[in-house]
Amino acid sequence: MSDFETDSISQDIANATQAAEYIKQDKGINPNYLIPPFPFFDNAQNREDMAGFLTSARVVDCCAGIVMDAIRESGHVDDTFIIFTTDHGIAFPKMKCNLYDTGIGVSLILKFPENKRKGEAVDALVSQIDLFPTLCEVLSLDKPSWLQGTSIMPLMEGTDIRVRDELFADVTYHAAYEPVRAIRTERYKLIKYFDIHESFVPAKYR
């Protein structure tokens, strides 16, 4: 049976069941041993919220482990490019849906064969729009003419210390229409709030 002939539905159900059983277990983190992230006050409610977040992160870690186990069992761990990322900062005030670093800074973990920087943290500016061109380079695919972003492989190979000089970020609509734009460099950030505007403010990627 080939990889494409496996019973993927049964596998999905089994994996979801395994994750649910994990969540049901007592995996709570004691809030008494936590300090809430800046800029929150260190009080009981904020410690409990942070403990809930870390408990959720632990569940995500377990689920990522399920995926990694499946890749190993399939025999494709040595020919798979794995990307783990998130879409925004923590769902706390001044973080998610804000353009501070606490809002646009996300998790990005790469695992691929012969990674020269395995286990290292990379401090260079990168954007999620850089992932598409990165995969194109790894797979030797022609990049579409409309493609934005820059491959981050020079960072992974240690041939360069940066691939871009700035990042762009935006929020247009979340709970309400609230257009905000930002540009971030290694040293500076400019955030522009369009609180007063006479027409729609288009978002670059919406």
Side-chain angles (χ1 to χ4, degrees):
M1 180 178 290
S2 70
D3 293 337
F4 300 101
E5 294 173 341
T6 57
D7 186 353
S8 59
I9 295 178
S10 296
Q11 288 182 349
D12 288 344
I13 293 175
N15 289 338
T17 301
Q18 185 176 350
E21 289 301 320
Y22 181 91
I23 294 172
K24 290 178 182 178
Q25 299 174 22
D26 183 13
K27 297 293 181 180
I29 294 177
N30 191 336
N32 292 314
Y33 296 95
L34 295 177
I35 297 178
F38 179 83
F40 301 119
F41 291 111
D42 186 2
N43 57 32
Q45 181 61 60
N46 288 338
R47 289 193 294 272
E48 289 177 5
D49 287 346
M50 192 61 188
F53 166 75
L54 292 177
T55 299
S56 298
R58 181 179 286 179
V59 173
V60 171
D61 182 67
C62 177
C63 294
I66 294 173
V67 174
M68 290 302 303
D69 288 342
I71 294 174
R72 292 188 187 96
E73 292 171 6
S74 72
H76 289 291
V77 71
D78 293 326
D79 59 8
T80 301
F81 196 106
I82 300 170
I83 301 171
F84 178 92
T85 188
T86 52
D87 56 347
H88 50 65
I90 303 175
F92 287 171
K94 302 296 183 180
M95 296 187 183
K96 177 182 177 181
C97 294
N98 285 271
L99 299 186
Y100 303 114
D101 281 7
T102 50
I104 65 174
V106 300
S107 173
L108 179 59
I109 303 173
L110 304 180
K111 176 178 174 58
F112 56 91
E114 301 180 3
N115 182 0
K116 297 179 180 179
R117 304 199 65 177
K118 178 180 179 181
E120 293 185 31
V122 179
D123 295 322
L125 291 175
V126 298
S127 172
Q128 288 180 329
I129 64 171
D130 297 329
L131 294 177
F132 193 161
T134 298
L135 293 176
C136 287
E137 179 175 345
V138 170
L139 299 173
S140 299
L141 299 175
D142 293 334
K143 299 176 183 178
S145 59
W146 44 262
L147 186 62
Q148 302 182 61
T150 303
S151 172
I152 64 175
M153 287 310 295
L155 299 175
M156 298 295 95
E157 294 170 349
T159 58
D160 208 336
I161 60 173
R162 68 172 57 86
V163 294
R164 55 168 59 247
D165 295 321
E166 68 283 313
L167 295 173
F168 298 93
D170 71 83
V171 173
T172 296
Y173 190 100
H174 184 59
Y177 183 62
E178 44 188 354
V180 188
R181 306 291 181 264
I183 180 171
R184 164 80 150 80
T185 67
E186 290 184 351
R187 183 173 181 181
Y188 299 107
K189 171 180 283 182
L190 172 67
I191 300 177
K192 172 66 175 178
Y193 294 87
F194 293 88
D195 297 316
I196 301 175
H197 45 84
E198 298 178 355
S199 60
F200 289 107
V201 181
K204 188 173 183 180
Y205 307 115
R206 297 178 186 270

